[in-house]
Amino acid sequence: MGKVAWITGASSGIGEALVHEFVARGATVIASSNDLDELERVKAECGSKSMMVHCVMFDLADTSEINKTVEQIVSKFGRIDFLLNIGGISQRARIDETPLWLDRKIFEINYFGTIAFTKAVLPFLVRQQSGHILATSSITGRFGFPLRSAYSASKQALHGFFETLYLENKKNNIKVSVIIPGRVRTAISFHALDSKGKEHGKLDDGQAKGILPKQAAEIIIRGIRRNRREILVGKNELIMLYIRRICPWLFFRIADKIKSM
Ligand SMILES: NC(=O)c1ccc[n+]([C@@H]2O[C@H](COP(=O)([O-])OP(=O)(O)OC[C@H]3O[C@@H](n4cnc5c(N)ncnc54)[C@H](OP(=O)(O)O)[C@@H]3O)[C@@H](O)[C@H]2O)c1
């Protein structure tokens, strides 16, 4: 491949699996998250390819320094071919028990952090007249779901932003895709925030039935190759997307009965 890929959420789950898939294909990977020790672990686990992984820590909830960070990386590596916005955080709290600061925190990480990073990189891709930007939504970024009000809303917002990004930048030869995972067996439910802003701390049943992160990463790579606008990642649970679109009355009858999405 010989390309440069910058991956957020690279310390765990889907992002971590993507680091392995990209280095296996010969790419240089900039691996980012808010935990340098975990990034270094992922790098070390790339074994003989670990030299191709460069760890850059930043907090998606505080992107005040992001322009400087992006400038440093571009001057070091010369270009960015893939920007994979994978980092994010989930939620397990009812609307009536969720304080507004928590809604804002989830938006800060999932939406504002992602778009701030994308906006910082975009001018370089425009200058290159090439590049592929990906954002990670969720099937609950296509419909509401109990205990996920801010999470679902933050992911739905990403669709509006990244569809616009695509339409404005087709002329600059920039590709844009939105990844829509169903259930992937990662730590996402473990780190999901409860009504106090504390970690939910357990692997939900639905999550446990999900596909493996490696399978998710392979599906995403295939979607990138085929330049899909939307990359659906999962198994049977993806049927909820079609039910919501084609048969909304059925969706509203059953969605609150599903234990965990
Ligand atoms: N797994 C699923 O079933 C599923 C379903 C739908 C959508 N998704 C989406 O897929 C993406 C990846 O999630 P995952 O399943 O791989 O979960 P995960 O294993 O919990 O990984 C989440 C990643 O996001 C990073 N992150 C979280 N908060 C951050 C912050 N403030 N600053 C920087 N990085 C931060 C974490 O890094 P640090 O903690 O090291 O900072 C970690 O690398 C997320 O956007 C998630 O919403 C997942």
Side-chain angles (χ1 to χ4, degrees):
M1 203 186 251
K3 306 266 183 178
V4 178
W6 196 337
I7 304 175
T8 72
S11 61
S12 174
I14 300 170
E16 176 176 354
L18 281 165
V19 172
H20 290 284
E21 294 300 321
F22 271 84
V23 293
R25 288 166 173 78
T28 298
V29 171
I30 322 297
S32 287
S33 89
N34 200 25
D35 186 333
L36 193 56
D37 290 343
E38 281 302 299
L39 291 173
E40 292 291 352
R41 174 190 59 76
V42 173
K43 176 182 164 89
E45 286 174 7
C46 289
S48 61
K49 308 248 183 188
S50 62
M51 296 294 287
M52 294 159 77
V53 180
H54 303 264
C55 304
V56 176
M57 185 184 134
F58 67 82
D59 185 356
L60 283 166
D62 176 10
T63 49
S64 50
E65 299 284 307
I66 197 67
N67 287 314
K68 209 164 81 190
T69 308
V70 169
E71 271 167 34
Q72 284 165 355
I73 290 298
V74 174
S75 65
K76 183 165 180 185
F77 295 96
R79 57 183 299 108
I80 297 169
D81 298 291
F82 298 98
L83 179 60
L84 294 111
N85 290 293
I86 310 294
I89 193 145
S90 192
Q91 178 187 25
R92 295 292 184 276
R94 287 198 321 267
I95 291 173
D96 59 289
E97 59 183 14
T98 301
L100 196 56
W101 63 261
L102 192 49
D103 294 84
R104 290 191 198 279
K105 179 170 181 175
I106 292 167
F107 258 80
E108 207 58 63
I109 295 170
N110 290 352
Y111 180 73
F112 288 108
T114 296
I115 72 156
F117 181 43
T118 301
K119 279 165 167 271
V121 173
L122 182 63
F124 297 99
L125 302 195
V126 171
R127 202 175 306 156
Q128 283 173 198
Q129 289 288 294
S130 69
H132 195 151
I133 302 175
L134 295 100
T136 310
S137 174
S138 159
I139 53 174
T140 59
R142 284 302 198 199
F143 48 73
F145 196 74
L147 310 182
R148 312 280 198 284
S149 53
Y151 179 72
S152 166
S154 66
K155 295 296 191 182
Q156 301 209 22
L158 288 175
H159 286 274
F161 181 91
F162 283 90
E163 283 179 13
T164 305
L165 183 71
Y166 173 66
L167 292 170
E168 289 182 358
N169 287 283
K170 278 197 296 186
K171 63 178 186 295
N172 292 317
N173 194 31
I174 295 171
K175 298 168 184 164
V176 179
S177 305
V178 178
I179 302 163
I180 306 180
R183 290 166 167 167
V184 185
R185 212 179 314 162
T186 69
I188 191 86
S189 70
F190 202 91
H191 298 301
L193 301 179
D194 69 12
S195 59
K196 307 271 184 298
K198 300 243 162 55
E199 287 192 346
H200 178 58
K202 57 183 180 217
L203 183 69
D204 285 346
D205 290 348
Q207 207 79 58
K209 292 185 194 128
I211 62 171
L212 296 172
K214 182 174 170 46
Q215 293 173 292
E218 286 166 356
I219 294 168
I220 293 166
I221 297 277
R222 214 161 42 239
I224 291 172
R225 285 230 164 92
R226 294 177 183 166
N227 190 19
R228 296 276 190 246
R229 287 285 75 68
E230 293 184 344
I231 304 175
L232 300 182
V233 177
K235 287 192 298 193
N236 304 343
E237 72 279 10
L238 297 177
I239 198 169
M240 289 301 285
L241 291 169
Y242 301 100
I243 293 176
R244 174 65 184 86
R245 193 181 309 156
I246 293 158
C247 203
W249 67 267
L250 179 59
F251 171 83
F252 288 109
R253 183 167 292 182
I254 64 173
D256 58 335
K257 317 266 185 314
I258 297 170
K259 266 206 145 181
S260 173
M261 189 54 71

